[in-house]
């Protein structure tokens, strides 16, 4: 089981994240992005007999990594339904919540999932939950140029987003874009050869975030964390994208996605959070060397007041 977990995903900022949660032996914790279970295993080592851990993941592939422990419960769901499932399991308040917003190695390395441009023969899918109706193939073949431009600009940080969107719309008239190779053939002429891997990764990232409604799901998830964490409970979130990091930063500072801090009559902040790490935590050089995909990881931790 351990070998399978390592192949599935190497958790980023493991010690910093679990340490930042301040685990209580009898506490109730949520790993909202279970994946390979690396963070969950580290949490379990700190829990006593009365402790409990819930692992959320919308991809059933992650179920193969579930922990064989009566204190652990695997929840097959997107973390945007966090509160509903905690109610279902009879849990009112919890002591800590963790979310690692990165994509598992498993997804990038599975040619059938369509997450990576390394497998041109793979169908453009990118769905975390394979029961969802919309995949990347549908996005590139049905979205209009304006919508595609928004996606590539907002989620991909691509300066030539409009040109890429226009080329996709024009190309699909004569032939449907079905595989990763089809998409590469269309967009490659617009990619800077000196930054080919980076720009292709940005294109695929943008499509993945749209397919899985990642920004909307994150917003709903964050709002619910403030409702189910008990006072003194902690929220730890690892981000990899500027849009996500901005949302988390604003939320932990003010309690809302806009980052506007509301005050009472006396000018006291009404934010339900206290920032634990004023300076964002990033991987050490040693970690990046061991795990290059952690390079862009940023960890933020807040405590519920």
């Amino acid at each position: 089981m351990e070998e399978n977990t390592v192949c599935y995903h190497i958790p980023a900022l493991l010690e910093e994240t679990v340490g930042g949660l301040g685990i209580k032996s009898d506490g109730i914790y949520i790993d909202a992005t279970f994946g390979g279970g690396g963070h969950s295993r580290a949490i379990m080592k700190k829990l006593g007999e009365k402790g409990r851990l819930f692992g959320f993941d919308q991809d059933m592939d992650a179920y193969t990594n579930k922990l064989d422990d009566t204190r652990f419960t695997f929840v097959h769901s997107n973390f945007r339904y966090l509160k509903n499932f905690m109610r279902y399991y009879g849990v009112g308040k919890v002591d800590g919540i963790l979310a690692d917003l990165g994509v598992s190695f498993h997804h990038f390395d599975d040619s059938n999932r369509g997450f990576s441009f390394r497998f041109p023969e793979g169908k453009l899918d990118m769905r975390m939950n394979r029961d969802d109706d919309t995949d990347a193939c549908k996005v590139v073949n049905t979205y209009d140029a304006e919508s595609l431009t928004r996606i590539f600009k907002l989620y991909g940080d691509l300066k030539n987003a409009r040109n890429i969107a226009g080329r996709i719309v024009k190309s699909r008239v004569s032939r449907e874009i079905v595989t990763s190779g089809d998409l590469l053939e269309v967009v490659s002429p617009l990619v800077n050869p000196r930054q080919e891997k980076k720009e292709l990764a940005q294109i695929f990232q943008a499509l993945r975030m749209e397919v899985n409604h990642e920004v909307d799901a994150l917003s709903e998830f964050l709002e619910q964390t403030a409702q189910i964490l008990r006072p003194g409970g902690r929220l730890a979130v690892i981000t990899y994208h500027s849009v996500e990091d901005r949302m988390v930063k604003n939320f932990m500072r003010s309690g809302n996605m806009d980052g506007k801090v509301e005050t009472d009559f006396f000018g006291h902040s009404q934010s339900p959070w206290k920032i634990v790490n004023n300076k964002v935590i990033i991987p050490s050089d040693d970690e990046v060397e061991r795990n290059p995909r952690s390079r862009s990881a940023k960890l933020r931790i807040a405590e519920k007041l």
Side-chain angles (χ1 to χ4, degrees), residues 129-156:
N129 184 345
R130 293 194 242 197
D131 293 330
D132 287 345
D133 295 328
T134 300
D135 60 11
C137 182
K138 185 174 182 178
V139 171
V140 298
N141 286 290
T142 64
Y143 278 33
D144 59 28
E146 184 177 347
S147 297
L148 288 172
T149 298
R150 175 188 60 81
I151 292 168
F152 292 132
K153 184 177 295 185
L154 182 62
Y155 301 150

Side-chain angles (χ1 to χ4, degrees), residues 146-206:
E146 184 177 347
S147 297
L148 288 172
T149 298
R150 175 188 60 81
I151 292 168
F152 292 132
K153 184 177 295 185
L154 182 62
Y155 301 150
D157 295 322
L158 290 155
K159 296 179 180 179
N160 59 343
R162 188 170 299 280
N163 290 337
I164 293 173
R167 188 173 178 86
I168 287 174
V169 171
K170 183 178 180 179
S171 298
R172 73 192 189 197
V173 173
S174 57
R175 190 182 70 173
E176 187 179 17
I177 302 170
V178 178
T179 67
S180 296
D182 292 339
L183 181 59
L184 291 175
E185 185 178 337
V186 172
V187 303
S188 289
L190 299 178
V191 172
N192 184 342
R194 290 176 294 182
Q195 299 184 21
E196 182 179 36
K197 289 185 177 180
K198 178 183 178 181
E199 292 189 11
L200 288 177
Q202 289 171 299
I203 291 172
F204 275 66
Q205 169 187 273

Side-chain angles (χ1 to χ4, degrees), residues 50-175:
K50 296 183 179 180
R52 294 181 70 187
L53 174 64
F54 293 85
F56 279 68
D57 206 298
Q58 60 185 324
D59 188 349
M60 274 304 290
D61 284 2
Y63 182 73
T64 61
N65 303 314
K66 71 182 187 304
L67 312 186
D68 185 17
D69 194 305
T70 57
R71 298 169 297 169
F72 175 78
T73 301
F74 180 85
V75 183
H76 179 214
S77 172
N78 188 299
F79 60 21
R80 71 194 308 170
Y81 304 114
L82 184 73
K83 189 176 179 181
N84 286 346
F85 275 95
M86 288 299 96
R87 186 183 299 118
Y88 173 79
Y89 286 106
V91 177
K93 298 290 184 179
V94 303
D95 297 283
I97 302 173
L98 153 71
D100 180 349
L101 305 181
V103 179
S104 295
F105 293 5
H106 166 74
H107 294 111
F108 285 124
D109 294 339
D110 187 343
S111 61
N112 296 317
R113 301 298 295 271
F115 284 94
S116 175
F117 56 84
R118 292 187 290 116
F119 306 106
E121 73 283 358
K123 184 179 183 294
L124 282 171
D125 192 325
M126 303 191 191
R127 292 173 299 171
M128 290 292 188
N129 184 345
R130 293 194 242 197
D131 293 330
D132 287 345
D133 295 328
T134 300
D135 60 11
C137 182
K138 185 174 182 178
V139 171
V140 298
N141 286 290
T142 64
Y143 278 33
D144 59 28
E146 184 177 347
S147 297
L148 288 172
T149 298
R150 175 188 60 81
I151 292 168
F152 292 132
K153 184 177 295 185
L154 182 62
Y155 301 150
D157 295 322
L158 290 155
K159 296 179 180 179
N160 59 343
R162 188 170 299 280
N163 290 337
I164 293 173
R167 188 173 178 86
I168 287 174
V169 171
K170 183 178 180 179
S171 298
R172 73 192 189 197
V173 173
S174 57
R175 190 182 70 173

Side-chain angles (χ1 to χ4, degrees), residues 13 29-30 60 77 113 165 191 205 226 241 262 283 285 303:
L13 294 164
Y29 295 88
I30 297 172
M60 274 304 290
S77 172
R113 301 298 295 271
V191 172
Q205 169 187 273
H241 185 274
E262 298 181 2
D285 292 339
E303 185 172 294

Side-chain angles (χ1 to χ4, degrees), residues 202-250:
Q202 289 171 299
I203 291 172
F204 275 66
Q205 169 187 273
L207 290 172
R208 186 204 79 226
M209 292 180 70
E210 174 65 19
V211 166
N212 296 288
H213 309 291
E214 293 181 24
V215 171
D216 290 339
L218 176 59
S219 177
E220 293 177 26
F221 162 74
L222 290 173
E223 290 175 354
Q224 292 173 63
T225 61
Q227 299 172 35
I228 67 172
L229 271 172
R230 69 176 81 254
R234 290 191 172 185
L235 170 65
V237 184
I238 304 173
T239 65
Y240 299 79
H241 185 274
S242 58
V243 171
E244 296 171 336
D245 186 57
R246 190 181 310 116
M247 290 172 64
V248 173
K249 180 180 179 180
N250 286 344

